[in-house]
Amino acid sequence: MLPNPADRLRERGIQVTAQRLAVLRAVDGQPHVTADGVIQAVRAEIGAISVQAVYDALALLASEGLVRRIQHSGSSARFESRVGDNHHHLICRSCGRVVDIDCATGDTPCLTANVDHGYEIDEAEVVYWGRCPDCRQGDGPPTTRG
Ligand SMILES: [Zn+2]
Ligand SMILES: [Zn+2]
Ligand SMILES: [Zn+2]
């Protein structure tokens, strides 16, 4: 499990505030949450907070490596606090549900590019697209996005 949010902020030298704690907790609680989802969760926890304050907190946490921002074509940005393990994502084309996939053979082989052009590579953006079991069962996209 993840260490508690306050400790993770302190470890990075980030001042601990109620807003930052609530944002980090929201991302912990809902992996691959959208910014809108974070805003809803934070408002439920601490009450009024501006949209800009949530975006600012997310940007700070992302730049400090506490959350990872993922943006896939055709969908809004999502945030997760499972960072630093180069895991990949499997996305349902119909409902947009995202699940984590560990690196195919464990040892981040996708970071070993045949030609690295002199770059130091630390992450590979691998996305698997398909249809989730729910959508396959219904044999069609659901009427609402999950
Ligand atoms: Zn689906
Ligand atoms: Zn993930
Ligand atoms: Zn991989």
Side-chain angles (χ1 to χ4, degrees), residues 87-103:
H87 73 270
H88 308 311
H89 293 110
L90 169 57
I91 307 172
C92 176
R93 286 187 193 282
S94 297
C95 69
R97 192 161 93 188
V98 181
V99 295
D100 288 335
I101 302 279
D102 290 334
C103 203

mmCIF file with all atom_site columns, all heavy atoms in Angstrom, residues 87-103:
data_model
loop_
_atom_site.group_PDB
_atom_site.id
_atom_site.type_symbol
_atom_site.label_atom_id
_atom_site.label_alt_id
_atom_site.label_comp_id
_atom_site.label_asym_id
_atom_site.label_entity_id
_atom_site.label_seq_id
_atom_site.pdbx_PDB_ins_code
_atom_site.Cartn_x
_atom_site.Cartn_y
_atom_site.Cartn_z
_atom_site.occupancy
_atom_site.B_iso_or_equiv
_atom_site.pdbx_formal_charge
_atom_site.auth_seq_id
_atom_site.auth_comp_id
_atom_site.auth_asym_id
_atom_site.auth_atom_id
_atom_site.pdbx_PDB_model_num
ATOM 1   N N   . HIS A 1 87  ? 4.197   0.909  -15.675 1.00 0.00 ? 87  HIS A N   1
ATOM 2   C CA  . HIS A 1 87  ? 3.130   -0.011 -16.077 1.00 0.00 ? 87  HIS A CA  1
ATOM 3   C C   . HIS A 1 87  ? 2.360   0.598  -17.255 1.00 0.00 ? 87  HIS A C   1
ATOM 4   O O   . HIS A 1 87  ? 2.533   1.766  -17.592 1.00 0.00 ? 87  HIS A O   1
ATOM 5   C CB  . HIS A 1 87  ? 2.210   -0.348 -14.897 1.00 0.00 ? 87  HIS A CB  1
ATOM 6   C CG  . HIS A 1 87  ? 1.305   0.763  -14.478 1.00 0.00 ? 87  HIS A CG  1
ATOM 7   N ND1 . HIS A 1 87  ? 1.650   1.696  -13.537 1.00 0.00 ? 87  HIS A ND1 1
ATOM 8   C CD2 . HIS A 1 87  ? 0.055   1.100  -14.866 1.00 0.00 ? 87  HIS A CD2 1
ATOM 9   C CE1 . HIS A 1 87  ? 0.653   2.544  -13.366 1.00 0.00 ? 87  HIS A CE1 1
ATOM 10  N NE2 . HIS A 1 87  ? -0.330  2.215  -14.167 1.00 0.00 ? 87  HIS A NE2 1
ATOM 11  N N   . HIS A 1 88  ? 1.553   -0.232 -17.882 1.00 0.00 ? 88  HIS A N   1
ATOM 12  C CA  . HIS A 1 88  ? 0.852   0.192  -19.092 1.00 0.00 ? 88  HIS A CA  1
ATOM 13  C C   . HIS A 1 88  ? -0.654  0.195  -18.861 1.00 0.00 ? 88  HIS A C   1
ATOM 14  O O   . HIS A 1 88  ? -1.124  -0.215 -17.800 1.00 0.00 ? 88  HIS A O   1
ATOM 15  C CB  . HIS A 1 88  ? 1.220   -0.735 -20.253 1.00 0.00 ? 88  HIS A CB  1
ATOM 16  C CG  . HIS A 1 88  ? 2.698   -0.872 -20.433 1.00 0.00 ? 88  HIS A CG  1
ATOM 17  N ND1 . HIS A 1 88  ? 3.541   0.206  -20.478 1.00 0.00 ? 88  HIS A ND1 1
ATOM 18  C CD2 . HIS A 1 88  ? 3.486   -1.967 -20.550 1.00 0.00 ? 88  HIS A CD2 1
ATOM 19  C CE1 . HIS A 1 88  ? 4.787   -0.208 -20.637 1.00 0.00 ? 88  HIS A CE1 1
ATOM 20  N NE2 . HIS A 1 88  ? 4.789   -1.534 -20.674 1.00 0.00 ? 88  HIS A NE2 1
ATOM 21  N N   . HIS A 1 89  ? -1.392  0.633  -19.854 1.00 0.00 ? 89  HIS A N   1
ATOM 22  C CA  . HIS A 1 89  ? -2.836  0.743  -19.708 1.00 0.00 ? 89  HIS A CA  1
ATOM 23  C C   . HIS A 1 89  ? -3.589  0.023  -20.808 1.00 0.00 ? 89  HIS A C   1
ATOM 24  O O   . HIS A 1 89  ? -3.163  -0.012 -21.953 1.00 0.00 ? 89  HIS A O   1
ATOM 25  C CB  . HIS A 1 89  ? -3.240  2.225  -19.659 1.00 0.00 ? 89  HIS A CB  1
ATOM 26  C CG  . HIS A 1 89  ? -2.727  2.884  -18.412 1.00 0.00 ? 89  HIS A CG  1
ATOM 27  N ND1 . HIS A 1 89  ? -1.727  3.821  -18.419 1.00 0.00 ? 89  HIS A ND1 1
ATOM 28  C CD2 . HIS A 1 89  ? -3.043  2.661  -17.111 1.00 0.00 ? 89  HIS A CD2 1
ATOM 29  C CE1 . HIS A 1 89  ? -1.464  4.161  -17.158 1.00 0.00 ? 89  HIS A CE1 1
ATOM 30  N NE2 . HIS A 1 89  ? -2.235  3.482  -16.367 1.00 0.00 ? 89  HIS A NE2 1
ATOM 31  N N   . LEU A 1 90  ? -4.691  -0.553 -20.392 1.00 0.00 ? 90  LEU A N   1
ATOM 32  C CA  . LEU A 1 90  ? -5.610  -1.227 -21.306 1.00 0.00 ? 90  LEU A CA  1
ATOM 33  C C   . LEU A 1 90  ? -6.904  -0.434 -21.248 1.00 0.00 ? 90  LEU A C   1
ATOM 34  O O   . LEU A 1 90  ? -7.463  -0.212 -20.172 1.00 0.00 ? 90  LEU A O   1
ATOM 35  C CB  . LEU A 1 90  ? -5.822  -2.668 -20.825 1.00 0.00 ? 90  LEU A CB  1
ATOM 36  C CG  . LEU A 1 90  ? -6.928  -3.507 -21.446 1.00 0.00 ? 90  LEU A CG  1
ATOM 37  C CD1 . LEU A 1 90  ? -6.757  -3.613 -22.956 1.00 0.00 ? 90  LEU A CD1 1
ATOM 38  C CD2 . LEU A 1 90  ? -6.915  -4.901 -20.828 1.00 0.00 ? 90  LEU A CD2 1
ATOM 39  N N   . ILE A 1 91  ? -7.364  0.025  -22.396 1.00 0.00 ? 91  ILE A N   1
ATOM 40  C CA  . ILE A 1 91  ? -8.511  0.932  -22.437 1.00 0.00 ? 91  ILE A CA  1
ATOM 41  C C   . ILE A 1 91  ? -9.628  0.335  -23.278 1.00 0.00 ? 91  ILE A C   1
ATOM 42  O O   . ILE A 1 91  ? -9.383  -0.190 -24.368 1.00 0.00 ? 91  ILE A O   1
ATOM 43  C CB  . ILE A 1 91  ? -8.099  2.285  -23.060 1.00 0.00 ? 91  ILE A CB  1
ATOM 44  C CG1 . ILE A 1 91  ? -6.875  2.845  -22.335 1.00 0.00 ? 91  ILE A CG1 1
ATOM 45  C CG2 . ILE A 1 91  ? -9.258  3.280  -22.991 1.00 0.00 ? 91  ILE A CG2 1
ATOM 46  C CD1 . ILE A 1 91  ? -6.303  4.071  -23.016 1.00 0.00 ? 91  ILE A CD1 1
ATOM 47  N N   . CYS A 1 92  ? -10.852 0.432  -22.763 1.00 0.00 ? 92  CYS A N   1
ATOM 48  C CA  . CYS A 1 92  ? -12.008 -0.025 -23.526 1.00 0.00 ? 92  CYS A CA  1
ATOM 49  C C   . CYS A 1 92  ? -12.415 1.071  -24.513 1.00 0.00 ? 92  CYS A C   1
ATOM 50  O O   . CYS A 1 92  ? -12.645 2.213  -24.126 1.00 0.00 ? 92  CYS A O   1
ATOM 51  C CB  . CYS A 1 92  ? -13.163 -0.354 -22.589 1.00 0.00 ? 92  CYS A CB  1
ATOM 52  S SG  . CYS A 1 92  ? -14.654 -0.820 -23.501 1.00 0.00 ? 92  CYS A SG  1
ATOM 53  N N   . ARG A 1 93  ? -12.510 0.699  -25.780 1.00 0.00 ? 93  ARG A N   1
ATOM 54  C CA  . ARG A 1 93  ? -12.910 1.667  -26.806 1.00 0.00 ? 93  ARG A CA  1
ATOM 55  C C   . ARG A 1 93  ? -14.351 2.130  -26.628 1.00 0.00 ? 93  ARG A C   1
ATOM 56  O O   . ARG A 1 93  ? -14.721 3.214  -27.057 1.00 0.00 ? 93  ARG A O   1
ATOM 57  C CB  . ARG A 1 93  ? -12.829 1.023  -28.199 1.00 0.00 ? 93  ARG A CB  1
ATOM 58  C CG  . ARG A 1 93  ? -11.465 0.832  -28.735 1.00 0.00 ? 93  ARG A CG  1
ATOM 59  C CD  . ARG A 1 93  ? -11.548 0.359  -30.187 1.00 0.00 ? 93  ARG A CD  1
ATOM 60  N NE  . ARG A 1 93  ? -10.241 -0.122 -30.620 1.00 0.00 ? 93  ARG A NE  1
ATOM 61  C CZ  . ARG A 1 93  ? -9.233  0.673  -30.962 1.00 0.00 ? 93  ARG A CZ  1
ATOM 62  N NH1 . ARG A 1 93  ? -9.400  1.969  -30.920 1.00 0.00 ? 93  ARG A NH1 1
ATOM 63  N NH2 . ARG A 1 93  ? -8.076  0.171  -31.327 1.00 0.00 ? 93  ARG A NH2 1
ATOM 64  N N   . SER A 1 94  ? -15.179 1.276  -26.045 1.00 0.00 ? 94  SER A N   1
ATOM 65  C CA  . SER A 1 94  ? -16.597 1.607  -25.952 1.00 0.00 ? 94  SER A CA  1
ATOM 66  C C   . SER A 1 94  ? -16.901 2.509  -24.769 1.00 0.00 ? 94  SER A C   1
ATOM 67  O O   . SER A 1 94  ? -17.552 3.532  -24.924 1.00 0.00 ? 94  SER A O   1
ATOM 68  C CB  . SER A 1 94  ? -17.433 0.327  -25.842 1.00 0.00 ? 94  SER A CB  1
ATOM 69  O OG  . SER A 1 94  ? -17.276 -0.441 -27.010 1.00 0.00 ? 94  SER A OG  1
ATOM 70  N N   . CYS A 1 95  ? -16.433 2.141  -23.562 1.00 0.00 ? 95  CYS A N   1
ATOM 71  C CA  . CYS A 1 95  ? -16.838 2.898  -22.381 1.00 0.00 ? 95  CYS A CA  1
ATOM 72  C C   . CYS A 1 95  ? -15.686 3.689  -21.772 1.00 0.00 ? 95  CYS A C   1
ATOM 73  O O   . CYS A 1 95  ? -15.889 4.459  -20.840 1.00 0.00 ? 95  CYS A O   1
ATOM 74  C CB  . CYS A 1 95  ? -17.454 1.976  -21.328 1.00 0.00 ? 95  CYS A CB  1
ATOM 75  S SG  . CYS A 1 95  ? -16.275 0.848  -20.566 1.00 0.00 ? 95  CYS A SG  1
ATOM 76  N N   . GLY A 1 96  ? -14.469 3.501  -22.253 1.00 0.00 ? 96  GLY A N   1
ATOM 77  C CA  . GLY A 1 96  ? -13.357 4.291  -21.763 1.00 0.00 ? 96  GLY A CA  1
ATOM 78  C C   . GLY A 1 96  ? -12.744 3.789  -20.467 1.00 0.00 ? 96  GLY A C   1
ATOM 79  O O   . GLY A 1 96  ? -11.869 4.437  -19.897 1.00 0.00 ? 96  GLY A O   1
ATOM 80  N N   . ARG A 1 97  ? -13.206 2.645  -19.965 1.00 0.00 ? 97  ARG A N   1
ATOM 81  C CA  . ARG A 1 97  ? -12.646 2.119  -18.719 1.00 0.00 ? 97  ARG A CA  1
ATOM 82  C C   . ARG A 1 97  ? -11.162 1.814  -18.904 1.00 0.00 ? 97  ARG A C   1
ATOM 83  O O   . ARG A 1 97  ? -10.757 1.285  -19.945 1.00 0.00 ? 97  ARG A O   1
ATOM 84  C CB  . ARG A 1 97  ? -13.398 0.855  -18.308 1.00 0.00 ? 97  ARG A CB  1
ATOM 85  C CG  . ARG A 1 97  ? -13.081 0.420  -16.885 1.00 0.00 ? 97  ARG A CG  1
ATOM 86  C CD  . ARG A 1 97  ? -14.152 -0.518 -16.383 1.00 0.00 ? 97  ARG A CD  1
ATOM 87  N NE  . ARG A 1 97  ? -13.772 -1.900 -16.640 1.00 0.00 ? 97  ARG A NE  1
ATOM 88  C CZ  . ARG A 1 97  ? -14.585 -2.942 -16.454 1.00 0.00 ? 97  ARG A CZ  1
ATOM 89  N NH1 . ARG A 1 97  ? -15.818 -2.758 -16.067 1.00 0.00 ? 97  ARG A NH1 1
ATOM 90  N NH2 . ARG A 1 97  ? -14.173 -4.155 -16.689 1.00 0.00 ? 97  ARG A NH2 1
ATOM 91  N N   . VAL A 1 98  ? -10.364 2.159  -17.890 1.00 0.00 ? 98  VAL A N   1
ATOM 92  C CA  . VAL A 1 98  ? -8.912  1.974  -17.950 1.00 0.00 ? 98  VAL A CA  1
ATOM 93  C C   . VAL A 1 98  ? -8.481  1.003  -16.867 1.00 0.00 ? 98  VAL A C   1
ATOM 94  O O   . VAL A 1 98  ? -8.893  1.134  -15.717 1.00 0.00 ? 98  VAL A O   1
ATOM 95  C CB  . VAL A 1 98  ? -8.170  3.311  -17.719 1.00 0.00 ? 98  VAL A CB  1
ATOM 96  C CG1 . VAL A 1 98  ? -6.663  3.112  -17.818 1.00 0.00 ? 98  VAL A CG1 1
ATOM 97  C CG2 . VAL A 1 98  ? -8.629  4.366  -18.715 1.00 0.00 ? 98  VAL A CG2 1
ATOM 98  N N   . VAL A 1 99  ? -7.680  0.013  -17.222 1.00 0.00 ? 99  VAL A N   1
ATOM 99  C CA  . VAL A 1 99  ? -7.095  -0.856 -16.201 1.00 0.00 ? 99  VAL A CA  1
ATOM 100 C C   . VAL A 1 99  ? -5.587  -0.913 -16.391 1.00 0.00 ? 99  VAL A C   1
ATOM 101 O O   . VAL A 1 99  ? -5.070  -0.649 -17.479 1.00 0.00 ? 99  VAL A O   1
ATOM 102 C CB  . VAL A 1 99  ? -7.687  -2.294 -16.216 1.00 0.00 ? 99  VAL A CB  1
ATOM 103 C CG1 . VAL A 1 99  ? -9.158  -2.277 -15.856 1.00 0.00 ? 99  VAL A CG1 1
ATOM 104 C CG2 . VAL A 1 99  ? -7.467  -2.956 -17.566 1.00 0.00 ? 99  VAL A CG2 1
ATOM 105 N N   . ASP A 1 100 ? -4.883  -1.246 -15.301 1.00 0.00 ? 100 ASP A N   1
ATOM 106 C CA  . ASP A 1 100 ? -3.430  -1.343 -15.339 1.00 0.00 ? 100 ASP A CA  1
ATOM 107 C C   . ASP A 1 100 ? -2.979  -2.683 -15.876 1.00 0.00 ? 100 ASP A C   1
ATOM 108 O O   . ASP A 1 100 ? -3.589  -3.712 -15.606 1.00 0.00 ? 100 ASP A O   1
ATOM 109 C CB  . ASP A 1 100 ? -2.857  -1.185 -13.921 1.00 0.00 ? 100 ASP A CB  1
ATOM 110 C CG  . ASP A 1 100 ? -2.958  0.239  -13.414 1.00 0.00 ? 100 ASP A CG  1
ATOM 111 O OD1 . ASP A 1 100 ? -3.010  1.160  -14.239 1.00 0.00 ? 100 ASP A OD1 1
ATOM 112 O OD2 . ASP A 1 100 ? -2.969  0.414  -12.190 1.00 0.00 ? 100 ASP A OD2 1
ATOM 113 N N   . ILE A 1 101 ? -1.894  -2.661 -16.613 1.00 0.00 ? 101 ILE A N   1
ATOM 114 C CA  . ILE A 1 101 ? -1.255  -3.882 -17.114 1.00 0.00 ? 101 ILE A CA  1
ATOM 115 C C   . ILE A 1 101 ? 0.214   -3.787 -16.720 1.00 0.00 ? 101 ILE A C   1
ATOM 116 O O   . ILE A 1 101 ? 0.871   -2.795 -17.025 1.00 0.00 ? 101 ILE A O   1
ATOM 117 C CB  . ILE A 1 101 ? -1.318  -3.948 -18.661 1.00 0.00 ? 101 ILE A CB  1
ATOM 118 C CG1 . ILE A 1 101 ? -2.759  -3.893 -19.160 1.00 0.00 ? 101 ILE A CG1 1
ATOM 119 C CG2 . ILE A 1 101 ? -0.597  -5.174 -19.166 1.00 0.00 ? 101 ILE A CG2 1
ATOM 120 C CD1 . ILE A 1 101 ? -3.485  -5.198 -19.094 1.00 0.00 ? 101 ILE A CD1 1
ATOM 121 N N   . ASP A 1 102 ? 0.718   -4.801 -16.027 1.00 0.00 ? 102 ASP A N   1
ATOM 122 C CA  . ASP A 1 102 ? 2.146   -4.785 -15.726 1.00 0.00 ? 102 ASP A CA  1
ATOM 123 C C   . ASP A 1 102 ? 2.927   -4.944 -17.013 1.00 0.00 ? 102 ASP A C   1
ATOM 124 O O   . ASP A 1 102 ? 2.422   -5.465 -18.005 1.00 0.00 ? 102 ASP A O   1
ATOM 125 C CB  . ASP A 1 102 ? 2.501   -5.919 -14.762 1.00 0.00 ? 102 ASP A CB  1
ATOM 126 C CG  . ASP A 1 102 ? 1.936   -5.656 -13.360 1.00 0.00 ? 102 ASP A CG  1
ATOM 127 O OD1 . ASP A 1 102 ? 1.736   -4.477 -13.021 1.00 0.00 ? 102 ASP A OD1 1
ATOM 128 O OD2 . ASP A 1 102 ? 1.698   -6.626 -12.644 1.00 0.00 ? 102 ASP A OD2 1
ATOM 129 N N   . CYS A 1 103 ? 4.169   -4.501 -16.984 1.00 0.00 ? 103 CYS A N   1
ATOM 130 C CA  . CYS A 1 103 ? 5.008   -4.610 -18.165 1.00 0.00 ? 103 CYS A CA  1
ATOM 131 C C   . CYS A 1 103 ? 5.032   -6.072 -18.616 1.00 0.00 ? 103 CYS A C   1
ATOM 132 O O   . CYS A 1 103 ? 5.097   -6.978 -17.785 1.00 0.00 ? 103 CYS A O   1
ATOM 133 C CB  . CYS A 1 103 ? 6.409   -4.104 -17.848 1.00 0.00 ? 103 CYS A CB  1
ATOM 134 S SG  . CYS A 1 103 ? 7.309   -3.585 -19.301 1.00 0.00 ? 103 CYS A SG  1
#
